Amino acid sequence: MRTLALLLAASIAVPLWADEDIADQYPGSMLYSKPVEVIPNVWSAIGATAPPTYENAGHNNNLSFVVTGDGVVVINGGAAHGLAKALHDEIKLITDQPVKVVVNENGQGHAMLGNSYWSEQGVPIVAHTDAAHEFEEYGAQILQGMQRYNQDKAEGTFLAGPTETFDDEYIIEMGDYRLEVRYLGPAHSPGDVSVWLPEQSLVIAGDMAFHERMLPIFGDTMTADWLETWDAEFEPLNATYVIPGHGHPTNMDQVRRYTKDYLVYLRAQIREHIDNGGELADAYYVDQTPFKHLDTYDELATKNAGRVYEQMEFE
C-alpha cells in the first residue's frame, strides 16, 4: 500500500486531488475511498471534500485507525451503520487484530452515527463530554438529516452515544502505541478533539484543522477562541504528520495556511468592514478570493463571513 510519509516529511503539500465533481473513488464499498497507510500502521479512509450526499454516503470526513499490535483504535464512528461496517470490512483485510476502542472526534453525525454499528460489536466508544451532550441534544435531528440524503444507505442506523466520556485528555496505551486523545480547547464545534501520537509525531487533528476544503463556521463557532486554541495548544504539537478532519494527510504548514491564516484573514476583512460602518447585508461579500480554489467555497464563504460579522460586531 502506498505510504505518504516521505512526501509529508519533506513538507510538500499533497495535490488537491479531492473535488466535489470527482465520482466515488471506491465503487465497491460505501466508503468514498479505500484506506491508505499514512505512516506504518496508521491508516485513513479519506472522505469527499464535499457536503454529505447519497453518492458519497456521508463519507465526507476522514475515518482513521491505528493497528497497534494488540488491537485496533478507530477514530470516528462514521456517518451511518453501513459506512462503519464498510470501514470494519477494510480493517479485517489489513489485520486480524480486533477493534478495541472507537474515538468520536466530535458530536457531528459523521463522527457518531456509525456508533450504531460499533455498539453492536460491543466496542467501547469514547468522546468528549461536550460532544456527547451535543449528540444527545441534537441526535434525532442529525439522524433525520442523514436519512434524507442517504435513503436506503441509512438502513440499520440508530442513535448510539459514546459509552465513555472525558473532559481534558483520554490516554490509550495499546500494543506499541500511545494515543493521547486531547481536548485542546474551543475550536470548530463542541467537543472537538485531536488524537496525538507523540512517538510518531502525528496528529489526527479532527476539525481543529482544514486544508483542501473551506472550513465551515457554525453559529456556535467562536473564531477568536479557535485561534487562541490553535496558538496555545495545537501549534506547539509541532506535528510532522497531520491527518485533518477533511482532506488528504498533510503537514502543519498546509493546515496552518488554510485554517489559522484563513480565520485571521477573514476576521481582518470583517474588522475593516465594521470599522468603515459596513452592515451585515454587505459583510457577506467581503473579499475571500485568496481561498476561492478550496472545495466548498461556493457553499460556505458567504455564510462564514456573515457569522464572523455577527461575532465581531460586539467584540
Side-chain angles (χ1 to χ4, degrees):
M1 180 63 66
R2 179 174 59 124
T3 180
L4 302 178
L6 292 177
L7 178 63
L8 299 178
S11 294
I12 299 173
V14 176
L16 296 183
W17 297 322
D19 185 271
E20 296 176 40
D21 298 326
I22 294 177
D24 181 73
Q25 297 177 357
Y26 196 18
S29 168
M30 270 185 73
L31 293 171
Y32 175 76
S33 66
K34 189 176 178 67
V36 294
E37 191 172 26
V38 180
I39 64 172
N41 300 316
V42 179
W43 298 74
S44 193
I46 310 303
T49 52
T53 63
Y54 182 80
E55 288 70 29
N56 61 41
H59 183 198
N60 72 332
N61 64 331
N62 295 339
L63 306 177
S64 303
F65 57 94
V66 181
V67 182
T68 71
D70 188 34
V72 178
V73 179
V74 171
I75 296 91
N76 269 336
H81 184 284
L83 195 58
K85 181 182 183 302
L87 181 68
H88 199 191
D89 289 344
E90 295 296 322
I91 293 171
K92 291 175 182 176
L93 294 176
I94 292 165
T95 179
D96 59 2
Q97 296 172 38
V99 174
K100 289 191 172 180
V101 62
V102 171
V103 176
N104 295 152
E105 286 181 344
N106 51 46
Q108 297 175 51
H110 54 202
M112 283 202 181
L113 287 175
N115 289 351
S116 51
Y117 170 80
W118 295 112
S119 67
E120 291 179 340
Q121 314 310 306
V123 178
I125 302 166
V126 176
H128 188 266
T129 304
D130 292 345
H133 289 164
E134 188 83 355
F135 191 70
E136 183 176 5
E137 184 170 357
Y138 299 108
Q141 297 169 236
I142 292 170
L143 175 59
Q144 289 169 9
M146 188 278 290
Q147 290 170 332
R148 279 194 296 272
Y149 73 75
N150 243 350
Q151 302 171 47
D152 58 296
K153 293 180 182 179
E155 184 177 349
T157 307
F158 56 89
L159 296 179
T163 59
E164 195 167 348
T165 60
F166 68 98
D167 290 325
D168 298 313
E169 186 175 66
Y170 185 92
I171 304 298
I172 301 171
E173 291 186 331
M174 188 182 299
D176 300 324
Y177 289 81
R178 175 183 173 91
L179 294 86
E180 300 175 1
V181 186
R182 295 186 180 185
Y183 176 68
L184 301 176
H188 173 254
S189 64
D192 276 328
V193 298
S194 297
V195 182
W196 172 234
L197 281 65
E199 294 300 316
Q200 290 72 31
S201 189
L202 179 145
V203 63
I204 303 171
D207 283 352
M208 173 64 67
F210 288 74
H211 73 120
E212 291 177 345
R213 60 159 289 179
M214 176 162 277
L215 63 84
I217 296 172
F218 296 155
D220 57 0
T221 304
M222 295 295 105
T223 55
D225 294 344
W226 191 346
L227 287 169
E228 184 176 336
T229 299
W230 184 285
D231 288 340
E233 300 292 342
F234 186 70
E235 189 76 38
L237 293 176
N238 194 28
T240 304
Y241 313 107
V242 180
I243 301 176
H246 305 261
H248 288 84
T250 185
N251 51 61
M252 289 292 284
D253 287 344
Q254 194 74 342
V255 293
R256 183 189 308 111
R257 178 184 181 191
Y258 290 113
T259 307
K260 177 185 175 178
D261 291 356
Y262 170 68
L263 292 171
V264 169
Y265 174 88
L266 181 56
R267 285 175 58 84
Q269 293 292 107
I270 294 296
R271 172 51 59 200
E272 182 179 2
H273 181 72
I274 291 172
D275 289 348
N276 289 334
E279 300 291 337
L280 174 60
D282 296 317
Y284 292 107
Y285 306 105
V286 298
D287 179 43
Q288 297 187 58
T289 52
F291 302 92
K292 188 175 177 61
H293 60 286
L294 293 174
D295 290 346
T296 67
Y297 175 90
D298 291 338
E299 291 88 351
L300 295 173
T302 55
K303 293 178 183 177
N304 286 354
R307 285 172 177 154
V308 170
Y309 178 95
E310 289 169 347
Q311 293 173 19
M312 295 187 68
E313 187 178 16
F314 300 106
E315 283 186 359

